[in-house]
Amino acid sequence: MSKTSDEHYLRAATQLGDFQIVIAHKAIHSSRGVKLIDRGVRVDSRLCHRLLSHKLQVPIDESLTAERTVTPEELRGRAERLMADLSFYGQLGADDGDRAALLGSIGRIALPQPIAFRLTVARDCRSAVFQHSLQVALVALYLGIRHGLRAGKLRALAAAALLHDIGMLHIDPEILKADHPFSGADQRQLHAHPLTATMIVQERPEYPPEVARAILEHHERYDGSGYPRGLRSNEISVEGHILLLAEVVTALLDKKVGEPGKNLSLILRLNHGKFDPEMSKHILQLLEREAAAAAVDEADQALGQRNVERLKCLGEEFDHWCQTQSALEKYAADAPAIGAFLTARLAALQRSLADAGLHPDNSPVIGINAQEQAAAVTELAMLMRETRWQLNTIIQDALSRFTTLETSDKPGECAIRDWLLRLQEQLRRDGSDERTRSPGDG
């Protein structure tokens, strides 16, 4: 790549001025010394044709400044949001030490003005390239940490990951569309992007040599089937192996069809010869943990929903008891002692449930919390088990204290007995898939 801006990048760089203020902080000259744009002029896509008509004396990004340029702080904030919003990226920072190293490395990336400008063009004009690069940085840093890279090496790896695809800004965006018919010329353009990005980074003394080397190698494969040089195994740097795998992981997880995690696992196992085996093992272990966590979460949600349904039924039983109490008024002489006993015990249980945040009237709120928070689901399940035990205790106490209740034909006692037996059967069904203690366990 020459030091002049090529057509596709120049179009994107001037297009940035349509979205925010972009100023020429120094005059822009042609390679013949002709002044094309004076210092201080606002640049947007209307000036694109004038710039395209000439070879430029210096690359365009060395002459332009954007008002809202990408900063290391912004990169760190975006990385945090990715980890919060997407399960896989959250798993990368599940360990506090890993999280600190990931975010710290991204937040300390060197961003000289021309590089910051290029990233701003990517963010505002080629958002898919920018988002992909940030995702690759997170995966690459995770692999770097697993490989034992020190802080300085991690910062270099973060820079390489973030900049590995800036060469894509020099490719016709039309060929990157999913429905574009790919030609041999398009393939050559695509295969040139690691070389383009490498040459850009080599111009910046802020980056150590391993940054440019990793960028150049990020499509080289372990078995020699990659590009641009067809390197194999130990011919590829550690950082190059890491970027290749991080690129593959991110690209496959971005696909919205089917189950991306399972698909990624299958591809890594079927194509194990193309990637560093130790690096692949770290990703496969991460996918296994994520799958296990998802299975637990799914089970927790199902359990939470069952408990919410049980709580709703419990509320209906309490309502039915209130109706039974009203009906008992006309039979007060038949069962006043039993009625008073059950009323007092159930009222005490309802107060306990309310104190624990589990009153039946609150079931819609509990349902939301139970499905969103694993801790809430666990607590709800424990409280429901305790509630069933308490209700069974009340039933057994009533039947043992009032010995005539089971055989009585008095209307009031019959109404109470029917309610108790129905409740007992419901509790038996609810507890049939869980271990429960008997009322006599204390």
Side-chain angles (χ1 to χ4, degrees):
M1 187 188 74
S2 69
K3 288 190 176 182
T4 59
S5 297
D6 74 278
E7 175 185 353
H8 302 301
Y9 176 60
L10 196 146
R11 287 187 185 280
T14 54
Q15 183 189 13
L16 179 65
D18 298 340
F19 304 128
Q20 60 167 300
I21 295 174
V22 174
I23 301 292
H25 64 263
K26 62 182 181 182
I28 300 175
H29 294 85
S30 73
S31 59
R32 295 174 178 268
V34 176
K35 183 186 288 186
L36 303 176
I37 297 176
D38 206 354
R39 181 174 179 268
V41 171
R42 182 170 178 176
V43 176
D44 57 30
S45 58
R46 291 172 295 183
L47 296 177
C48 183
H49 181 71
R50 184 192 304 180
L51 295 172
L52 282 174
S53 301
H54 302 270
K55 289 186 176 181
L56 302 184
Q57 200 171 76
V58 298
I60 190 68
D61 47 58
E62 293 188 14
S63 303
L64 301 181
T65 302
E67 183 179 43
R68 300 187 303 279
T69 303
V70 169
T71 64
E73 293 76 20
E74 178 190 351
L75 293 172
R76 179 186 174 115
R78 286 176 176 268
E80 284 187 292
R81 287 195 292 277
L82 266 174
M83 294 167 73
D85 294 343
L86 299 176
S87 170
F88 178 83
Y89 296 98
Q91 290 280 337
L92 299 177
D95 178 88
D96 288 342
D98 289 352
R99 180 181 177 86
L102 286 166
L103 296 176
S105 299
I106 289 175
R108 289 192 289 272
I109 291 175
L111 290 183
Q113 184 275 325
I115 295 296
F117 183 83
R118 283 183 176 272
L119 287 175
T120 305
V121 172
R123 181 194 67 192
D124 291 1
C125 303
R126 302 280 185 85
S127 60
V129 172
F130 181 78
Q131 181 78 355
H132 169 72
S133 297
L134 191 56
Q135 291 170 329
V136 168
L138 282 173
V139 178
L141 285 167
Y142 176 82
L143 290 171
I145 293 167
R146 299 278 77 75
H147 192 72
L149 297 185
R150 300 292 186 180
K153 293 286 188 181
L154 287 176
R155 285 196 297 273
L157 179 61
L162 191 66
L163 302 176
H164 78 285
D165 263 357
I166 55 172
M168 298 291 278
L169 300 177
H170 294 257
I171 292 177
D172 183 352
E174 287 299 312
I175 76 172
L176 301 178
K177 293 181 178 179
D179 57 351
H180 179 80
F182 223 61
S183 67
D186 296 336
Q187 188 76 26
R188 286 190 292 275
Q189 269 200 74
L190 189 62
H191 279 200
H193 83 271
L195 293 164
T196 303
T198 300
M199 294 178 71
I200 292 167
V201 170
Q202 285 175 330
E203 295 290 324
R204 306 309 318 175
E206 295 86 353
Y207 301 117
E210 58 260 36
V211 174
R213 180 180 175 183
I215 290 172
L216 181 62
E217 295 173 345
H218 80 269
H219 279 293
E220 301 287 0
R221 297 186 182 275
Y222 199 79
D223 62 357
S225 63
Y227 65 88
R229 295 184 292 170
L231 301 180
R232 303 175 62 91
S233 185
N234 294 335
E235 296 174 329
I236 307 168
S237 66
V238 168
E239 292 84 358
H241 283 303
I242 289 174
L243 282 193
L244 166 65
L245 185 54
E247 168 105 349
V248 171
V249 168
T250 301
L252 287 171
L253 289 178
D254 270 351
K255 296 185 183 300
K256 306 303 181 186
V257 179
E259 298 181 79
K262 290 184 178 179
N263 190 37
L264 171 58
S265 177
L266 179 64
I267 286 175
L268 291 181
R269 286 182 281 116
L270 288 178
N271 296 275
H272 56 86
K274 297 182 182 296
F275 312 108
D276 182 285
E278 286 300 311
M279 302 291 180
S280 294
K281 184 176 70 174
H282 294 313
I283 296 298
L284 289 169
Q285 288 173 343
L286 196 65
L287 290 169
E288 288 171 4
R289 287 201 299 272
E290 186 186 27
V296 170
D297 182 63
E298 185 178 343
D300 282 347
Q301 289 193 24
L303 176 61
Q305 185 58 44
R306 288 199 303 274
N307 283 335
V308 169
E309 291 169 357
R310 290 165 180 166
L311 188 59
K312 181 180 178 181
C313 292
L314 182 60
E316 292 172 353
E317 288 300 328
F318 279 133
D319 288 342
H320 185 74
W321 171 250
C322 292
Q323 295 170 10
T324 303
Q325 283 181 295
S326 299
L328 285 177
E329 291 179 4
K330 65 173 86 173
Y331 304 119
D334 291 333
I338 302 174
F341 169 81
L342 289 173
T343 298
R345 292 288 296 272
L346 289 169
L349 177 57
Q350 284 180 302
R351 286 194 298 271
S352 297
L353 291 173
D355 290 342
L358 194 64
H359 194 280
D361 291 344
N362 295 333
S363 57
V365 175
I366 291 173
I368 293 171
N369 290 340
Q371 293 180 45
E372 292 181 348
Q373 302 175 23
V377 170
T378 302
E379 183 178 358
L380 179 59
M382 292 171 62
L383 287 169
M384 285 302 299
R385 284 196 295 271
E386 180 63 21
T387 300
R388 286 200 302 276
W389 182 80
Q390 294 280 0
L391 284 170
N392 269 309
T393 299
I394 291 172
I395 294 169
Q396 295 301 321
D397 284 353
L399 293 174
S400 62
R401 180 173 301 207
F402 303 98
T403 55
T404 62
L405 191 58
E406 290 189 70
T407 57
S408 175
D409 57 1
K410 294 180 180 179
E413 292 185 356
C414 286
I416 293 172
R417 182 182 63 228
D418 291 345
W419 182 83
L420 288 173
L421 293 177
R422 186 172 61 254
L423 178 58
Q424 188 177 50
E425 178 59 27
Q426 179 190 313
L427 294 172
R428 186 179 294 114
R429 288 197 304 270
D430 287 347
S432 63
D433 60 342
E434 297 178 28
R435 293 180 62 188
T436 57
R437 53 181 174 168
S438 69
D441 288 338

